[in-house]
Every structure is written in C-alpha cells, then in structure tokens.
Amino acid sequence: MISVESLTVEFSVKPLFKDVSFVVNNRDRIALVGKNGAGKSTMLKILCGKQKPTAGNVSVPSGTTVGYLPQVMVLEDDTTVKEEARKAFADNTELKTRVEQLNKELSERTDYESEDYMALVERFTHEHERYLMLGGNNYEAELERTLIGLGFNRNDLERPTSEFSGGWRMRIELAKILLRKPDVLLLDEPTNHLDIDSIQWLEQFLAQSSGSVVLVSHDRAFINNVTNRTLEISCGKVIDYRVKYDEYVTLRAERREQQLRAYENQQKEIADMKDFIEKFRYKPTKAVQVQSRIKQLAKIVPIEVDEVDTSALRLKFPPCLRSGDYPVICDDVRKDYGEHTVFDHVTFTIKRGEKVAFVGRNGEGKSTLVKCILNEIPYTGDLKIGHNVQIGYFAQNQAQLLDENLTVFETIDNVAKGDIRLKIRDILGAFMFGGEASDKKVKVLSGGERSRLAMIKLLLEPVNLLILDEPTNHLDMQSKDVLKEAIKAFDGTAIVVSHDREFLDGLVSKVYEFGEGRVKEHLGGIYDFIRNATADQLNNALPTSIDSLLHTASAPAKTEETPKTDNESYAQRKERMKKVSKAEKAVKECEARIASMEKRIGELNVLLSDVDNASDMTLVSEYTSVQRALDSENEKWMELSETLEELSQQVS
C-alpha cells in the first residue's frame, strides 16, 4: 500500500531518521510508538505528503486515498456541525451536479441518432453508476451515525460549529476523515478529546474498516484493541514488531537487554584497546600492534542503546497532615447555567484514602463539579470539605500558571523538600526532561511539556486530597505508569477525571458516572463499570414487546408467595397460557418473515449471477437491504424464542 525506502530526515546535526525502510500493507493496523520527540508525528506528515524527507522515497500507488488527522489544525466556524461534516462528501456533491447537468442536456437534445448524443448517453450512464456506487443520496444516515458515535446529540447537528470547544471541533474533523473512507488512515493522538463511549465506538469502527490504519496514541487500551503491528522509532531507526503493543513491550525488554550486553562488551573491548595503546604507545617493539589497535578502534561502529529505562523509578508524595474521615460530602448539589441545568440532586460521600474516578461524556459536568468542590463557582445545595483537607488541583490550564522565567530544574527545585531533592534529575528524566532539557526556560517549552512540568510540581507538593482533571493527555505511557504508581501509593484521597481506561484500571475503586443531569455511584473498577454499562445498554435495547413479556412473566412469582384460592390459581394459569400463546404467535410471524426474506435473497442471487444484471445497482441495493433486514429478524427471532422458552417453563 505505502512503501518507505531509505528515508532520512535531518533537522540538525543529528538526523531524526536515517536510512529507514518499511511497508504499510493492506488492512495493517500499525501503532507508531516511541518517546516524545522521536519523530512519530513527523513520520505521519511524511506518509501523507505534508512534509518532504531529506532523502529517500515514499511510494503511494495511484488511486490510493490517505486520510490524516493531525494533533493541531486550523478550524473554520462558518457552518453547522452537519454541514461541516457533509463536506466529507464533496466528491458526491460534485458528481451529483455533473449527473444533473448531463441529464438536463439529454432532455434538451433531440438528435437521438447522432454519435454525440450516444456519447452523451454513455457518459451519463458512467457518471450515474459511479454516483450510485459512492452511495448516492444515502450518505445522510451514515453521517448522523458517525457524529452520534463520536458523542454528538441529534440536537447538536444543527448548531453552529463556533458554539463548540476545540475538542468537539476536532471530533467533527475526525468524523469527516472517517466518512471519506480513505484507503489509509493516519491518526495522531485521536483519543485526546474523546470520552470512553466515543473511544469504544472508534475502536469498533476501525476494527470493521477495510483500509489500513497507522496511529500514534498514548492510550494503551486503545492501541491494544485496534492494532496488530507495532513500529518503534528509536535512535533514528524504525524497528518492526509484528505483534500487538503488550507483546511488543515484552519483546522490546528482551531486545534492550541484548543491546545492553552487546554495549557493555563493546565498551570493555574499546577500553582494553585504549589501555593497550596507552601502555605501549612509545615502545618501538609494539609499534605494529599499536597501529593495528588504532585502526581497529577507528573501524568500530558504536552500539546505540534505546533510551534509558526509568520504569523502576518510584515517586512518593511528601508526607502531609491527616485529613478528616470524609474529605468531600455532597448533599443535593445543583448547578445551573442560566436555564440549562448541568446536574441536580448530586449526593455522595468520599471517604479518606479512596481513589475515585469521574467519568462521562464531555459536557456532562465533571469539571464543573470539580470547580464546585474547589469553591471556584457558585452552586446550590450543601457541599462540605472535611477537616484539615489540603487540596492539590491539576487543571487543563495548569501549565499557564508556571513562572516562565525559571528553568525546568529551578521550577521543581523550588517545590521539592527533603530527600526527594536528591532525585530531582531522575524525576525529570522519567517525565522526559533528562539531560539538557532540564536547563530549558519554561517560556520555550511546548504546551505538552508545560503540562508535564506542572504535573511533576503537583506531585511534590504536600497535599492530602488530589484532584486531577485529564492528567494523562500529554504524557507518554512510561510517564503515565510513573504517575499511576505514585497515586496508588498516595496516602490521601484522589479524584481523577479521565477517559484513559488503562490508567484508571487498578487505580480507582469507585466510579461516579455523569450523565443526563445526574451523578450515579458505581462500586468497583473502571472495567467493572464498563461491563455493567454495556449490559444495561443491551437490556435497554430489547424490543418493547419482549421487555413487556419478560416483565409480565416475572410478575406471578410475587403472587405465589401468598396462598391463593383455586379460582385465583386457575385465573393466573389462564393468563400465563395467554402470554405463551401470544409469544408463540410472535415467533411464528417472525419465522414467516424470515422465510419470505430468504426466498427473496435466493431470487436476487439468481438475478445477480446473470452477467447482464451484475452491474445493476438497484438489485445490489435491494440485496444489501434485504440481507440487513434478515439479520435483524434472525436476532429478533432468537430473543422471542428465549422469551417463549422462559414462559413455557413457568407454565409447566
């Protein structure tokens, strides 16, 4: 699909890439990994043609379409959400216009026997068939399904894009790329602005996509669920691991161990040569041997070892005064913005030492409640902060509060106290501020680097209640692991607002779900919450008739607890038999519909097997719609059959 040969990229003395070669095949699901600054985003820009390499070739077959989602893009605010997303079908719109023009021209011409007219008919037929193959006018349903899958409500579709935050507008751009259905998808941190529901929807979409995917992400769960191949960028090279990320981590550890052994052996060999040269440099009898060693030394190619592994580093929060037993108590808390109610009747208690998560779709009030806890905004109801509670808060704009005139090292040195000051360099290295980076001024740091620095600063302040609002957006996986272990070892209480499932897994013991103006408490970890939420969705998705049957089927069980007369028992049994008959009728009707659809599928198969009908889009469209209806009816039949079986058992 895409072939990269002898790729070299140079921005300074040391090249970013050197002599890199690999191939992106059909249906590949590739995770591009490496430390920040290794060149992952640059590689995506080169693959999509946005940036030219210093040397080497990137070959893309003619006709291959590439969709690219950058981390940052310029967005326009002159349309509604639906109209902006509809731009993805610009080719369809142009083709429709051409078809209409050709049709109009055909209706105005009368020279039916001329060659020009026949050529026009042929051209119209070709363009019309192409238009139908691209979906024709049937793209509106797909457009809505994609936008809703990414978190938009139906009411949002007609709202101007200017009313949405940058994160939501990035979702619109992602929807446009997905709707174009490119042969190759290049995604740079696509989950940064998505909630858990939207991330899961995107996972399913990419799994069902027929094209290739190359993505950069620090969401471990997302990478594991989507990709089947890992390309690591390290030391200016690309190492290809044809496995998922978790397996890659194991293989990489083994590879690095081998690198270290080879590096140590090489260093010993170099040291021995240098010692020999120094020892016998001025002895005439050893001149030949010395010159030989010098030549050997010059020919040695230094072994490069991957970036230093700091996974063993453990951060500990400094000791702080013990808080009260209940740091946060909410009782019937409500927040309104004008006529819009963000949430109402919020009642819960967070105990000392608990690690809890705030989850839910964007805009449901997670950050708003955090601001209420911090007493930054007014609210109604009773919200109490416990005795002796000292809050440490990490917000999305926390990076803007740093002193720009200080260096990275000075920023952390001013906060660190006690023995932790001896490990400042190690801590900075774990968060990708190793070496010369620690001496940079804050004002020259990027937004992501500032966020990481603000996170380190928070980790060193003596607090007993941590409130973290999306702390992992700009952290790589290694830094996230360091942060996660630090929070787990934290003696105090922690509230984490995050959509990163892997980060929350094993960290929190309670989940508060925000949605529809309510806050629901769920005991257990993040994956327990997701499983329960999925089960609830499946239950809610049952047809009303089936749901009512199940409800009525369980009702008699309560009446059996008290003794009844013979007449009442007979009435109950008669009612149950009535329900069984109703369910049997529903099953038979469903079977009749299935038989009819299967018959039509058979007829269409015969018609489409004929060469003359193979390109008939009407038949193809009918076949697709009937097949979908048949699949849906089969699922309904299974549900009705299960219901019938349950009712029959109760009667017997």
Side-chain angles (χ1 to χ4, degrees), residues 252-267 303-309:
R252 185 184 180 276
E254 295 173 358
R255 179 174 170 274
R256 189 173 184 280
E257 190 177 341
Q258 293 171 357
Q259 280 183 333
L260 280 172
R261 284 201 297 266
Y263 176 78
E264 289 168 359
N265 292 334
Q266 188 183 65
Q267 291 301 307
I303 295 173
E304 292 184 338
V305 182
D306 297 346
E307 61 271 13
V308 179
D309 186 12

Side-chain angles (χ1 to χ4, degrees), residues 405-453:
N405 295 317
L406 296 177
T407 66
V408 170
F409 184 86
E410 289 169 345
T411 303
I412 303 305
D413 190 45
N414 291 344
V415 179
K417 296 177 182 178
D419 295 340
I420 198 71
R421 295 189 66 193
L422 301 172
K423 296 184 178 180
I424 290 177
R425 294 286 183 186
D426 293 336
I427 295 169
L428 291 173
F431 284 86
M432 296 168 291
F433 288 111
E436 296 177 358
S438 62
D439 298 322
K440 288 183 179 178
K441 293 280 189 180
V442 172
K443 60 184 175 185
V444 302
L445 299 178
S446 67
E449 289 173 326
R450 292 192 184 198
S451 295
R452 296 201 304 274
L453 187 61

Side-chain angles (χ1 to χ4, degrees), residues 16 49 106 108 156 164 172 190 228-229 241 310 332 341 348 363 403 408 424 488 575:
L16 188 63
L106 282 171
E108 293 173 351
D156 295 333
F164 292 87
I172 299 172
N228 55 18
R229 181 180 168 194
Y241 298 85
T310 57
D332 204 26
T341 301
F348 62 80
D403 189 343
V408 170
I424 290 177
K488 285 169 73 174
E575 184 65 25

Side-chain angles (χ1 to χ4, degrees), residues 453-481:
L453 187 61
M455 179 59 65
I456 302 171
K457 188 179 175 184
L458 177 63
L459 286 172
L460 300 177
E461 293 176 350
V463 298
N464 50 33
L465 173 60
L466 271 176
I467 302 177
L468 308 176
D469 193 354
E470 294 291 352
T472 63
N473 271 1
H474 298 288
L475 298 182
D476 67 358
M477 295 182 191
Q478 193 175 27
S479 301
K480 284 197 289 187
D481 290 341

Side-chain angles (χ1 to χ4, degrees), residues 237-498:
K237 301 175 183 176
V238 172
I239 301 98
D240 194 351
Y241 298 85
R242 295 186 177 274
V243 293
K244 290 191 173 189
Y245 182 81
D246 280 349
E247 297 175 59
Y248 147 76
V249 172
T250 305
L251 293 174
R252 185 184 180 276
E254 295 173 358
R255 179 174 170 274
R256 189 173 184 280
E257 190 177 341
Q258 293 171 357
Q259 280 183 333
L260 280 172
R261 284 201 297 266
Y263 176 78
E264 289 168 359
N265 292 334
Q266 188 183 65
Q267 291 301 307
K268 186 177 181 300
E269 185 183 354
I270 291 171
D272 290 343
M273 286 184 183
K274 287 181 177 179
D275 288 344
F276 183 90
I277 293 168
E278 289 299 321
K279 188 175 180 180
F280 300 106
R281 182 185 291 274
Y282 303 107
K283 288 191 177 184
T285 55
K286 299 285 187 180
V288 176
Q289 293 94 322
V290 169
Q291 288 300 316
S292 176
R293 295 290 196 286
I294 293 173
K295 289 178 181 178
Q296 289 177 19
L297 196 60
K299 290 179 180 178
I300 290 177
V301 179
I303 295 173
E304 292 184 338
V305 182
D306 297 346
E307 61 271 13
V308 179
D309 186 12
T310 57
S311 58
L313 178 66
R314 295 290 181 265
L315 292 183
K316 282 191 72 176
F317 285 90
C320 184
L321 294 174
R322 182 184 174 97
S323 70
D325 290 337
Y326 303 102
V328 181
I329 301 174
C330 291
D331 186 15
D332 204 26
V333 176
R334 175 182 176 127
K335 177 60 186 174
D336 298 299
Y337 284 114
E339 297 181 356
H340 175 63
T341 301
V342 182
F343 47 71
D344 191 11
H345 302 298
V346 177
T347 301
F348 62 80
T349 300
I350 298 177
K351 299 178 182 177
R352 185 185 65 248
E354 283 188 330
K355 311 293 191 298
V356 305
F358 285 2
V359 303
R361 301 172 74 137
N362 292 352
E364 294 289 356
K366 302 184 295 295
S367 297
T368 302
L369 183 57
V370 166
K371 290 177 181 177
C372 293
I373 294 172
L374 297 168
N375 203 26
E376 291 183 356
I377 56 175
Y379 56 88
T380 58
D382 194 12
L383 201 162
K384 295 180 181 177
I385 302 300
H387 172 68
N388 205 29
V389 172
Q390 295 180 343
I391 300 176
Y393 175 48
F394 180 86
Q396 297 275 356
N397 63 343
Q398 196 70 25
Q400 300 172 8
L401 306 176
L402 298 172
D403 189 343
E404 293 189 344
N405 295 317
L406 296 177
T407 66
V408 170
F409 184 86
E410 289 169 345
T411 303
I412 303 305
D413 190 45
N414 291 344
V415 179
K417 296 177 182 178
D419 295 340
I420 198 71
R421 295 189 66 193
L422 301 172
K423 296 184 178 180
I424 290 177
R425 294 286 183 186
D426 293 336
I427 295 169
L428 291 173
F431 284 86
M432 296 168 291
F433 288 111
E436 296 177 358
S438 62
D439 298 322
K440 288 183 179 178
K441 293 280 189 180
V442 172
K443 60 184 175 185
V444 302
L445 299 178
S446 67
E449 289 173 326
R450 292 192 184 198
S451 295
R452 296 201 304 274
L453 187 61
M455 179 59 65
I456 302 171
K457 188 179 175 184
L458 177 63
L459 286 172
L460 300 177
E461 293 176 350
V463 298
N464 50 33
L465 173 60
L466 271 176
I467 302 177
L468 308 176
D469 193 354
E470 294 291 352
T472 63
N473 271 1
H474 298 288
L475 298 182
D476 67 358
M477 295 182 191
Q478 193 175 27
S479 301
K480 284 197 289 187
D481 290 341
V482 173
L483 175 61
K484 182 176 177 178
E485 291 301 319
I487 298 173
K488 285 169 73 174
F490 179 49
D491 292 333
T493 311
I495 299 172
V496 185
V497 183
S498 178

